Amino acid sequence: MTPTATTIHRDTLTLPAAALGSANPLPPLRSRHEVHELDERSLVGLPRDMARQIGYEPLRSALPARILDGYGRDRTATVLDTIVIENDKLRVTVLPGLGGRIHALHHKPTGRDLLYTNPVFQPADFALNGAWYSGGIEWNIGATGHGALSCAPHHAAVVPAPDGGSMLRLWEWERLRDLPFQVDLWLPADSDFLYVGVRIRNPHEKQAPVYWWSNIAVPEERRVLAPADEAWHFGYTRSLRKVPVPALDGVDLTYPLRSVDPADYFYDLPDEQRRWIAALDGDGHGLVQTSTDPLRGRKLFLWGNGTGGRRWQDWLTEPGTGGYAEIQAGLARTQLEHVRLDAGAEFSWLEAYGPLGADPGLVHGDDWAAARAETEDRLAAALPREAVDAAYAAWLPHADAEPVETLATGSGWGALEVLRGGYKLPGTPFDEAHLGPDQEPWHALLSTGDFPVPDPTAPPGPSLVAPPWRDMLETALAEPHTEYHLGVAQWHAGDRAQAVRSWERGLVLAPSRWPLLRALAAADQVEGFPERAADHYAEAFDALCGERHDDGPEWTATTAALGREALAALIAVGRTAEARRVWEQLPAAVRARGAFRLVEAQLLFAEGDPEAVRAVFAEGFEVADLKEGAEVLGQLWARVSDEPLPARYDFRMRPPAPGDGRTTGD
């Protein structure tokens, strides 16, 4: 029988979904306290190249991205656009509007779903800029952590495939590192394996730090196998150490549910070793991922069976629907590293994803070497290493192929950068037609040399911080709004004193004062002046309340964001009366959100009313944007109660300290 040709078509998927909401309009001037930062003491004794790459330009800010924290936890049936790639063996479902993620990978002959497919869409604060969701295969580019494009729309189009058929291309402009990239999904006719060609280009005249990890969610009731006898362990104590594989302290870490606490295990693959990782169930069936050699790293992330890990599993999906672990593949040995990409150069590689069946007695036996060998032998029979190298060689000439049919549209930021830099990026068109309202003032600056006067009825738009844009702002007419954006760019560049001067100059003549006052408040906090920060925040919030024009989503998001920051700053210096006044000026709907119930509890504690704090906890609240690794709930509870932290609030990801009891009760 002749294999059916591969098809690519639009479709839809209906899921219970929480709306993303409005982006936070306040530029992220302060660190978001990334949980994957490494204690410097752990650098001692690391391989020299690893230590060098860990110290190579780590990200210090989410700028120019905006923080996505406007989502909640109320889910309603929502229709999501999908793109489906299909042949006789596989059906691949892609979400172009949500990071270009592969939502599902279904193997038709066996009827098996090869990935953990989340039955809901529930954002949580795991990405570098906030909103992220679990499940499927995501493409992480930018810096250590889940990328800022996790929930962003991507450009998508059909392009010619190496076998004469069609493949799906996804592409975007990654703004944290200012780099364009593409992901080509190619499913040859009658193939059990999906090929994924990835290319990252550096069109600039200087080197750039690059980070990439393909993140694959699999059901956690699997054994994870990779060709290594050691791994680099990273826990939430910010330490990195080498440990044996598969067993550590008598626990087989290749079974995610046997560990207690969440942790990363970066497998130490020998240089000559074929790159692969697999997750196989009790019958020896599951998913295998392999690649060409440039994608050298392999990782297992597990939530473990402790209270905090189980709470997070329920938080990210629908309780009772099963948990997941992550198997990953990256450019470096660990996710703490960034790799240098020279000016005008590119990185490219090919990945393959497909089903694998192996002898369960060997795969789940006590002999780790035999389990590895069995898995690798079955992979070699299903997809030889030479076949992956040949597929890469066949794909690479098609990486420049121009799209023949557009299926989805991403942001206009790439189009703006192409206009500014005059870049030639064959295969990934960033068309001027993609420019939108966020890019319009910057396009005007590029065209005229001056930043246009903003709409007084709306908060300031996004800032750009790359050196060419900063240079243009420095030579533009020094209007207050120009000084505001210039200060943001200077702050991002590390020139904090000059940023403050720009904001202070803008404040003199600014018709809208709150954005500049808030910037000065954030600067005061970073520079260690908490009282002055509180002054500026109080003044900024009063100014905002006097200037806001309506109760629409944009102004409500602005009021909530500034109010939350102002409350934290005022509480931190004991100015509870002023904090209470800010609280009372917030809209009732904002005060009712879970994040603000926590703020209310913090304010009540600062006012000396622990009984009222306990009442807030007893009534129940959910902080929708609780950050990965956050311990604020447990810390506040410990101040007002000698009882164990109720399980519904226990999101702790670190091993308990002495005297820090865990609970199983609600």
Side-chain angles (χ1 to χ4, degrees), residues 10-371:
R10 294 188 186 94
D11 205 339
T12 60
L13 171 71
T14 300
L15 288 179
L20 273 173
S22 300
N24 190 320
L26 308 181
L29 300 176
R30 292 175 291 162
S31 167
R32 302 195 71 235
H33 306 292
E34 170 58 45
V35 297
H36 298 100
E37 292 176 351
L38 187 63
D39 187 316
E40 289 188 3
R41 292 172 294 183
S42 293
L43 294 174
V44 177
L46 295 182
R48 184 174 299 178
D49 63 330
M50 181 186 289
R52 181 176 63 251
Q53 290 185 161
I54 289 174
Y56 176 46
E57 295 196 31
L59 195 70
R60 300 301 184 192
S61 166
L63 286 167
R66 286 193 153 186
I67 304 302
L68 301 178
D69 59 5
Y71 52 87
R73 292 192 54 81
D74 293 330
R75 297 191 286 263
T76 59
T78 303
V79 178
L80 303 175
D81 290 329
T82 66
I83 300 172
V84 177
I85 315 168
E86 197 163 9
N87 68 2
D88 285 341
K89 301 294 183 65
L90 289 174
R91 182 169 65 248
V92 187
T93 304
V94 179
L95 298 173
L98 291 168
R101 185 175 304 203
I102 294 178
H103 173 71
L105 184 61
H106 180 76
H107 188 235
K108 296 179 180 180
T110 61
R112 291 190 176 95
D113 293 317
L114 302 181
L115 304 173
Y116 168 79
T117 301
N118 199 331
V120 304
F121 172 71
Q122 177 57 63
D125 191 359
F126 278 63
L128 294 169
N129 65 330
W132 170 87
Y133 63 106
S134 64
I137 304 174
E138 63 173 306
W139 319 113
N140 281 314
I141 180 174
T144 299
H146 295 282
L149 294 171
S150 293
C151 293
H154 282 45
H155 301 283
V158 176
V159 296
D163 61 356
S166 298
M167 63 183 175
L168 173 65
R169 174 164 299 156
L170 304 162
W171 72 99
E172 248 302 345
W173 196 282
E174 203 291 310
R175 300 176 65 213
L176 301 185
R177 299 302 195 182
D178 209 17
L179 299 173
F181 72 98
Q182 69 189 76
V183 178
D184 288 356
L185 306 178
W186 168 32
L187 187 58
D190 204 36
S191 173
D192 284 292
F193 282 84
L194 170 69
Y195 291 137
V196 179
V198 182
R199 179 168 63 167
I200 304 169
R201 289 186 274 195
N202 180 6
H204 307 298
E205 296 179 352
K206 65 175 184 177
Q207 66 187 34
V210 169
Y211 170 96
W212 180 281
W213 284 80
S214 300
N215 184 6
I216 309 139
V218 293
E220 62 184 350
E221 301 87 358
R222 301 287 186 270
R223 189 178 202 188
V224 175
L225 302 107
D229 293 315
E230 294 180 304
W232 294 95
H233 169 271
F234 181 80
Y236 287 80
T237 55
R238 302 193 176 190
S239 62
L240 185 67
R241 61 191 176 103
K242 185 171 279 191
V243 300
V245 175
L248 175 63
D249 298 329
V251 177
D252 190 330
L253 58 85
T254 65
Y255 290 93
L257 282 171
R258 295 186 185 178
S259 295
V260 175
D261 295 301
D264 296 327
Y265 294 94
F266 301 101
Y267 295 106
D268 195 18
L269 276 62
D271 288 341
E272 71 282 357
Q273 173 63 52
R274 182 181 185 181
R275 280 75 161 108
W276 61 268
I277 190 167
L280 305 180
D281 64 16
D283 295 327
H285 294 286
L287 172 79
V288 66
Q289 187 271 0
T290 186
S291 71
T292 50
D293 288 352
L295 201 66
R296 66 177 297 184
R298 292 299 185 274
K299 170 195 164 182
L300 163 65
F301 167 75
L302 53 84
W303 285 107
N305 59 34
T307 304
R310 306 326 299 166
R311 184 71 181 99
W312 275 116
Q313 289 273 31
D314 287 345
W315 186 256
L316 295 170
T317 184
E318 188 68 31
T321 59
Y324 73 96
E326 294 171 358
I327 58 175
Q328 302 193 22
L331 283 174
R333 275 176 291 188
T334 74
Q335 289 178 329
L336 306 172
E337 302 168 68
H338 299 91
V339 183
R340 187 179 75 181
L341 180 57
D342 290 332
E346 63 182 48
F347 288 143
S348 64
W349 63 90
L350 189 99
E351 306 178 44
Y353 297 81
L356 192 72
D359 183 334
L362 291 174
V363 166
H364 295 284
D366 294 332
D367 188 333
W368 174 243

